[in-house]
Amino acid sequence: MSVNEAQVRHVAKLARLALSDAEIDKMVPELNNILGWVEQLGEVDTDGIEPLTAVIDIPTRLRDDVVDDGDVRDKVLLNAPDAQHGFFAVPKVIE
């Protein structure tokens, strides 16, 4: 698989990237190199290999899920342009 200049322009447009012609010319071989590496990975025989979540087998430390409000309401409300009765005050939107 390889990409051409038109495909790079299309992807850049989708990503809302403004690339010059020189940058697009530079990106074409770079993206083709990356796709070549991906194709090389596809050639590796992985039959019988279990998927890994980590390279080193270390058990995950779990903690109890505890509901906690953080006790920082007053600090958070200091950033509000308008706070009333312990809540953010916002303008009425619906009449």
Side-chain angles (χ1 to χ4, degrees), residues 41-75:
L41 290 174
E43 296 172 4
V44 176
D45 181 22
T46 57
D47 291 337
I49 306 292
E50 291 292 323
L52 297 174
T53 55
V55 178
I56 302 171
D57 189 24
I58 298 175
T60 306
R61 293 186 213 151
L62 300 177
R63 60 171 172 78
D64 293 333
D65 287 332
V66 178
V67 176
D68 183 10
D69 67 355
D71 197 29
V72 293
R73 181 185 69 178
D74 295 333
K75 289 181 182 177

Side-chain angles (χ1 to χ4, degrees), residues 4-73:
N4 58 30
E5 184 178 317
Q7 291 169 325
V8 172
R9 286 185 190 280
H10 180 68
V11 171
K13 181 180 176 185
L14 293 175
R16 299 183 191 272
L17 298 174
L19 297 178
S20 68
D21 290 339
E23 290 172 319
I24 288 175
D25 291 339
K26 184 179 175 184
M27 289 295 289
V28 171
E30 288 182 16
L31 290 174
N32 284 326
N33 281 338
I34 292 170
L35 290 174
W37 294 331
V38 172
E39 286 177 2
Q40 283 181 354
L41 290 174
E43 296 172 4
V44 176
D45 181 22
T46 57
D47 291 337
I49 306 292
E50 291 292 323
L52 297 174
T53 55
V55 178
I56 302 171
D57 189 24
I58 298 175
T60 306
R61 293 186 213 151
L62 300 177
R63 60 171 172 78
D64 293 333
D65 287 332
V66 178
V67 176
D68 183 10
D69 67 355
D71 197 29
V72 293
R73 181 185 69 178

